[in-house]
Amino acid sequence: MDQSVTVTVDGVTRTLSLDTRTTVLDALRERLGVTSVKKGCDHGQCGACTVLLDGRRATTCLSFAVAHEGSEIVTAEGLADQNLHPVQRAFLDHDGFQCGYCTPGQVCAAVGMLEEAKAGSPSYVTEDLTADPALDDEEIRERMSGNLCRCGAYANIVSAIREASE
């Protein structure tokens, strides 16, 4: 059964007729040609498919597109305007990517988690729940734990995010 879905992807409003079982990930990659969003584990465990969905990070492989009628989706491609987003720049400056497969999801997750931290949302390792969370390495690692890099670039990703948070 198909249904019409309208979403804004990286600033462009698009209307698609989709099978109701189509994930946001498959709609982005297969129907709209957005290739920065990667299909990794297809179980929400690796984070390669992470985008900003209505301003919050989301794993698109676990979400049906029809549930997001009218939503705004920002991918790693949509973060930059004339210049790279500060998180993208920091990833380059700190060599926070290796093969690059997980990088778009890592970048989107980092942008989302920096906004969450700025809003005062605590993580599992935040000790003082009444204070603004300090983004030390432990906080960054915990907040990014939903994104896996099989190449092992975590040290550089953490330093890139630390710089972007300053």
Side-chain angles (χ1 to χ4, degrees), residues 36 51 64 91 113 147 153-154 165:
S36 66
V51 300
F64 291 118
F91 267 63
M113 80 86 150
N147 290 71
Y154 292 113
S165 72

Side-chain angles (χ1 to χ4, degrees), residues 77-134:
E77 294 173 46
L79 288 172
D81 46 31
Q82 296 292 340
N83 299 305
L84 292 176
H85 185 281
V87 171
Q88 292 171 316
R89 169 57 45 206
F91 267 63
L92 284 174
D93 292 346
H94 289 265
D95 197 20
F97 57 92
Q98 292 189 9
C99 77
Y101 193 83
C102 71
T103 303
Q106 296 268 6
V107 167
C108 286
V111 170
M113 80 86 150
L114 288 173
E115 289 299 317
E116 292 165 13
K118 189 187 302 180
S121 298
S123 79
Y124 179 74
V125 298
T126 303
E127 290 192 23
D128 184 354
L129 299 179
T130 62
D132 287 336

Side-chain angles (χ1 to χ4, degrees), residues 19 43 56 85 103 121 123 125 134 137 144-145 157 163 166:
D19 183 300
H43 293 88
R56 299 184 60 132
H85 185 281
T103 303
S121 298
S123 79
V125 298
D137 290 357
M144 293 297 292
S145 64
I157 290 171
E163 178 181 291
E166 297 171 348

Side-chain angles (χ1 to χ4, degrees), residues 1 18-23 26 64-66:
M1 179 172 120
L18 298 170
D19 183 300
T20 55
R21 299 168 293 178
T22 304
T23 63
D26 289 337
F64 291 118
V66 295

